[in-house]
mmCIF file of all heavy atoms in Angstrom:
data_model
loop_
_atom_site.group_PDB
_atom_site.id
_atom_site.type_symbol
_atom_site.label_atom_id
_atom_site.label_comp_id
_atom_site.label_asym_id
_atom_site.label_seq_id
_atom_site.Cartn_x
_atom_site.Cartn_y
_atom_site.Cartn_z
ATOM 1 N N LYS A 330 -32.884 9.651 15.873
ATOM 2 C CA LYS A 330 -32.834 8.968 17.176
ATOM 3 C C LYS A 330 -33.213 7.500 17.031
ATOM 4 O O LYS A 330 -32.609 6.616 17.668
ATOM 5 C CB LYS A 330 -33.769 9.671 18.169
ATOM 6 C CG LYS A 330 -33.247 11.019 18.649
ATOM 7 C CD LYS A 330 -34.206 11.657 19.640
ATOM 8 C CE LYS A 330 -33.648 12.990 20.158
ATOM 9 N NZ LYS A 330 -34.581 13.646 21.101
ATOM 10 N N ALA A 331 -34.193 7.216 16.172
ATOM 11 C CA ALA A 331 -34.601 5.825 15.938
ATOM 12 C C ALA A 331 -33.469 5.048 15.263
ATOM 13 O O ALA A 331 -33.210 3.887 15.612
ATOM 14 C CB ALA A 331 -35.864 5.793 15.083
ATOM 15 N N GLU A 332 -32.789 5.692 14.322
ATOM 16 C CA GLU A 332 -31.663 5.044 13.634
ATOM 17 C C GLU A 332 -30.536 4.728 14.620
ATOM 18 O O GLU A 332 -29.928 3.654 14.571
ATOM 19 C CB GLU A 332 -31.142 5.946 12.516
ATOM 20 C CG GLU A 332 -32.062 6.043 11.314
ATOM 21 C CD GLU A 332 -31.456 6.895 10.212
ATOM 22 O OE1 GLU A 332 -30.208 6.984 10.129
ATOM 23 O OE2 GLU A 332 -32.229 7.482 9.432
ATOM 24 N N LEU A 333 -30.260 5.676 15.502
ATOM 25 C CA LEU A 333 -29.175 5.478 16.467
ATOM 26 C C LEU A 333 -29.523 4.383 17.474
ATOM 27 O O LEU A 333 -28.644 3.625 17.903
ATOM 28 C CB LEU A 333 -28.857 6.793 17.190
ATOM 29 C CG LEU A 333 -28.140 7.840 16.331
ATOM 30 C CD1 LEU A 333 -28.070 9.179 17.055
ATOM 31 C CD2 LEU A 333 -26.736 7.370 15.974
ATOM 32 N N ALA A 334 -30.803 4.289 17.850
ATOM 33 C CA ALA A 334 -31.225 3.216 18.752
ATOM 34 C C ALA A 334 -31.041 1.859 18.073
ATOM 35 O O ALA A 334 -30.566 0.889 18.678
ATOM 36 C CB ALA A 334 -32.687 3.420 19.155
ATOM 37 N N TYR A 335 -31.386 1.797 16.794
ATOM 38 C CA TYR A 335 -31.182 0.566 16.028
ATOM 39 C C TYR A 335 -29.688 0.253 15.918
ATOM 40 O O TYR A 335 -29.276 -0.905 16.063
ATOM 41 C CB TYR A 335 -31.796 0.729 14.636
ATOM 42 C CG TYR A 335 -31.407 -0.356 13.664
ATOM 43 C CD1 TYR A 335 -31.832 -1.667 13.833
ATOM 44 C CD2 TYR A 335 -30.580 -0.063 12.572
ATOM 45 C CE1 TYR A 335 -31.463 -2.669 12.942
ATOM 46 C CE2 TYR A 335 -30.209 -1.057 11.674
ATOM 47 C CZ TYR A 335 -30.649 -2.353 11.869
ATOM 48 O OH TYR A 335 -30.273 -3.333 10.993
ATOM 49 N N ALA A 336 -28.879 1.287 15.688
ATOM 50 C CA ALA A 336 -27.432 1.089 15.565
ATOM 51 C C ALA A 336 -26.845 0.521 16.849
ATOM 52 O O ALA A 336 -25.995 -0.383 16.813
ATOM 53 C CB ALA A 336 -26.750 2.404 15.215
ATOM 54 N N GLU A 337 -27.318 0.996 17.994
ATOM 55 C CA GLU A 337 -26.814 0.482 19.270
ATOM 56 C C GLU A 337 -27.103 -1.006 19.417
ATOM 57 O O GLU A 337 -26.275 -1.764 19.945
ATOM 58 C CB GLU A 337 -27.440 1.269 20.421
ATOM 59 C CG GLU A 337 -26.889 2.687 20.565
ATOM 60 C CD GLU A 337 -27.534 3.437 21.712
ATOM 61 O OE1 GLU A 337 -28.256 2.794 22.523
ATOM 62 O OE2 GLU A 337 -27.337 4.661 21.805
ATOM 63 N N GLU A 338 -28.278 -1.427 18.930
ATOM 64 C CA GLU A 338 -28.626 -2.847 18.994
ATOM 65 C C GLU A 338 -27.706 -3.660 18.076
ATOM 66 O O GLU A 338 -27.240 -4.746 18.432
ATOM 67 C CB GLU A 338 -30.089 -3.033 18.593
ATOM 68 C CG GLU A 338 -30.542 -4.487 18.506
ATOM 69 C CD GLU A 338 -30.407 -5.246 19.822
ATOM 70 O OE1 GLU A 338 -30.346 -4.595 20.896
ATOM 71 O OE2 GLU A 338 -30.325 -6.484 19.775
ATOM 72 N N VAL A 339 -27.411 -3.117 16.892
ATOM 73 C CA VAL A 339 -26.500 -3.795 15.969
ATOM 74 C C VAL A 339 -25.102 -3.899 16.587
ATOM 75 O O VAL A 339 -24.460 -4.949 16.518
ATOM 76 C CB VAL A 339 -26.430 -3.050 14.616
ATOM 77 C CG1 VAL A 339 -25.351 -3.659 13.723
ATOM 78 C CG2 VAL A 339 -27.779 -3.092 13.915
ATOM 79 N N PHE A 340 -24.627 -2.815 17.199
ATOM 80 C CA PHE A 340 -23.305 -2.833 17.834
ATOM 81 C C PHE A 340 -23.236 -3.956 18.871
ATOM 82 O O PHE A 340 -22.242 -4.672 18.969
ATOM 83 C CB PHE A 340 -23.018 -1.491 18.515
ATOM 84 C CG PHE A 340 -22.965 -0.308 17.583
ATOM 85 C CD1 PHE A 340 -23.135 0.984 18.079
ATOM 86 C CD2 PHE A 340 -22.750 -0.465 16.227
ATOM 87 C CE1 PHE A 340 -23.082 2.077 17.238
ATOM 88 C CE2 PHE A 340 -22.690 0.634 15.368
ATOM 89 C CZ PHE A 340 -22.866 1.904 15.885
ATOM 90 N N ARG A 341 -24.329 -4.081 19.645
ATOM 91 C CA ARG A 341 -24.353 -5.107 20.687
ATOM 92 C C ARG A 341 -24.341 -6.503 20.073
ATOM 93 O O ARG A 341 -23.599 -7.387 20.523
ATOM 94 C CB ARG A 341 -25.613 -4.922 21.549
ATOM 95 C CG ARG A 341 -25.669 -5.835 22.768
ATOM 96 C CD ARG A 341 -26.973 -5.680 23.504
ATOM 97 N NE ARG A 341 -28.093 -6.136 22.696
ATOM 98 C CZ ARG A 341 -28.409 -7.423 22.527
ATOM 99 N NH1 ARG A 341 -27.678 -8.376 23.105
ATOM 100 N NH2 ARG A 341 -29.438 -7.760 21.788
ATOM 101 N N GLN A 342 -25.135 -6.691 19.009
ATOM 102 C CA GLN A 342 -25.210 -8.001 18.363
ATOM 103 C C GLN A 342 -23.866 -8.415 17.778
ATOM 104 O O GLN A 342 -23.500 -9.598 17.797
ATOM 105 C CB GLN A 342 -26.259 -7.956 17.236
ATOM 106 C CG GLN A 342 -27.685 -7.854 17.703
ATOM 107 C CD GLN A 342 -28.270 -9.215 18.060
ATOM 108 O OE1 GLN A 342 -27.639 -10.247 17.821
ATOM 109 N NE2 GLN A 342 -29.441 -9.215 18.652
ATOM 110 N N LEU A 343 -23.123 -7.438 17.246
ATOM 111 C CA LEU A 343 -21.854 -7.742 16.576
ATOM 112 C C LEU A 343 -20.650 -7.575 17.495
ATOM 113 O O LEU A 343 -19.509 -7.722 17.051
ATOM 114 C CB LEU A 343 -21.676 -6.846 15.343
ATOM 115 C CG LEU A 343 -22.724 -6.992 14.239
ATOM 116 C CD1 LEU A 343 -22.425 -6.041 13.088
ATOM 117 C CD2 LEU A 343 -22.780 -8.425 13.730
ATOM 118 N N ASN A 344 -20.910 -7.276 18.755
ATOM 119 C CA ASN A 344 -19.810 -7.057 19.707
ATOM 120 C C ASN A 344 -18.828 -6.013 19.173
ATOM 121 O O ASN A 344 -17.599 -6.195 19.194
ATOM 122 C CB ASN A 344 -19.085 -8.375 19.987
ATOM 123 C CG ASN A 344 -18.176 -8.294 21.204
ATOM 124 O OD1 ASN A 344 -18.445 -7.524 22.136
ATOM 125 N ND2 ASN A 344 -17.105 -9.055 21.200
ATOM 126 N N ALA A 345 -19.361 -4.922 18.666
ATOM 127 C CA ALA A 345 -18.549 -3.883 18.024
ATOM 128 C C ALA A 345 -17.869 -2.982 19.052
ATOM 129 O O ALA A 345 -18.404 -2.726 20.131
ATOM 130 C CB ALA A 345 -19.430 -3.028 17.104
ATOM 131 N N THR A 346 -16.684 -2.514 18.693
ATOM 132 C CA THR A 346 -16.032 -1.445 19.447
ATOM 133 C C THR A 346 -16.594 -0.128 18.909
ATOM 134 O O THR A 346 -16.523 0.133 17.708
ATOM 135 C CB THR A 346 -14.510 -1.477 19.249
ATOM 136 O OG1 THR A 346 -14.015 -2.741 19.691
ATOM 137 C CG2 THR A 346 -13.841 -0.354 20.033
ATOM 138 N N VAL A 347 -17.154 0.690 19.794
ATOM 139 C CA VAL A 347 -17.873 1.887 19.361
ATOM 140 C C VAL A 347 -16.980 3.125 19.486
ATOM 141 O O VAL A 347 -16.320 3.331 20.501
ATOM 142 C CB VAL A 347 -19.165 2.083 20.178
ATOM 143 C CG1 VAL A 347 -19.916 3.331 19.700
ATOM 144 C CG2 VAL A 347 -20.054 0.849 20.056
ATOM 145 N N ILE A 348 -16.968 3.920 18.420
ATOM 146 C CA ILE A 348 -16.200 5.169 18.391
ATOM 147 C C ILE A 348 -17.149 6.317 18.079
ATOM 148 O O ILE A 348 -17.923 6.242 17.121
ATOM 149 C CB ILE A 348 -15.080 5.124 17.337
ATOM 150 C CG1 ILE A 348 -14.034 4.074 17.713
ATOM 151 C CG2 ILE A 348 -14.418 6.486 17.169
ATOM 152 C CD1 ILE A 348 -12.935 3.913 16.684
ATOM 153 N N ASN A 349 -17.090 7.342 18.890
ATOM 154 C CA ASN A 349 -17.898 8.543 18.652
ATOM 155 C C ASN A 349 -17.116 9.468 17.724
ATOM 156 O O ASN A 349 -16.030 9.927 18.068
ATOM 157 C CB ASN A 349 -18.206 9.247 19.978
ATOM 158 C CG ASN A 349 -19.254 10.340 19.804
ATOM 159 O OD1 ASN A 349 -19.209 11.110 18.853
ATOM 160 N ND2 ASN A 349 -20.203 10.389 20.726
ATOM 161 N N THR A 350 -17.649 9.722 16.540
ATOM 162 C CA THR A 350 -16.942 10.534 15.550
ATOM 163 C C THR A 350 -17.328 12.014 15.604
ATOM 164 O O THR A 350 -16.901 12.790 14.755
ATOM 165 C CB THR A 350 -17.216 10.004 14.127
ATOM 166 O OG1 THR A 350 -18.626 10.040 13.872
ATOM 167 C CG2 THR A 350 -16.713 8.582 13.970
ATOM 168 N N GLU A 351 -18.119 12.388 16.586
ATOM 169 C CA GLU A 351 -18.597 13.777 16.671
ATOM 170 C C GLU A 351 -17.430 14.753 16.850
ATOM 171 O O GLU A 351 -16.638 14.634 17.790
ATOM 172 C CB GLU A 351 -19.574 13.910 17.842
ATOM 173 C CG GLU A 351 -20.257 15.260 17.915
ATOM 174 C CD GLU A 351 -21.442 15.240 18.869
ATOM 175 O OE1 GLU A 351 -21.924 14.140 19.218
ATOM 176 O OE2 GLU A 351 -21.881 16.320 19.266
ATOM 177 N N TYR A 352 -17.331 15.712 15.940
ATOM 178 C CA TYR A 352 -16.275 16.736 15.963
ATOM 179 C C TYR A 352 -14.871 16.117 16.049
ATOM 180 O O TYR A 352 -13.955 16.717 16.587
ATOM 181 C CB TYR A 352 -16.490 17.711 17.127
ATOM 182 C CG TYR A 352 -17.796 18.438 17.053
ATOM 183 C CD1 TYR A 352 -18.794 18.224 18.006
ATOM 184 C CD2 TYR A 352 -18.058 19.327 16.013
ATOM 185 C CE1 TYR A 352 -20.007 18.878 17.926
ATOM 186 C CE2 TYR A 352 -19.274 19.987 15.927
ATOM 187 C CZ TYR A 352 -20.251 19.761 16.884
ATOM 188 O OH TYR A 352 -21.452 20.416 16.792
ATOM 189 N N ARG A 353 -14.733 14.917 15.538
ATOM 190 C CA ARG A 353 -13.426 14.249 15.558
ATOM 191 C C ARG A 353 -12.949 14.117 14.114
ATOM 192 O O ARG A 353 -13.712 13.740 13.233
ATOM 193 C CB ARG A 353 -13.550 12.878 16.216
ATOM 194 C CG ARG A 353 -12.261 12.091 16.301
ATOM 195 C CD ARG A 353 -12.459 10.826 17.123
ATOM 196 N NE ARG A 353 -12.395 11.104 18.547
ATOM 197 C CZ ARG A 353 -12.758 10.251 19.490
ATOM 198 N NH1 ARG A 353 -13.245 9.065 19.175
ATOM 199 N NH2 ARG A 353 -12.655 10.580 20.767
#
Side-chain angles (χ1 to χ4, degrees):
K330 287 181 178 179
E332 288 183 27
L333 288 171
Y335 168 67
E337 287 180 11
E338 175 60 21
V339 173
F340 298 160
R341 187 184 66 78
Q342 290 276 352
L343 298 180
N344 194 29
T346 301
V347 181
I348 295 177
N349 191 317
T350 59
E351 187 166 343
Y352 300 114
R353 180 173 279 168

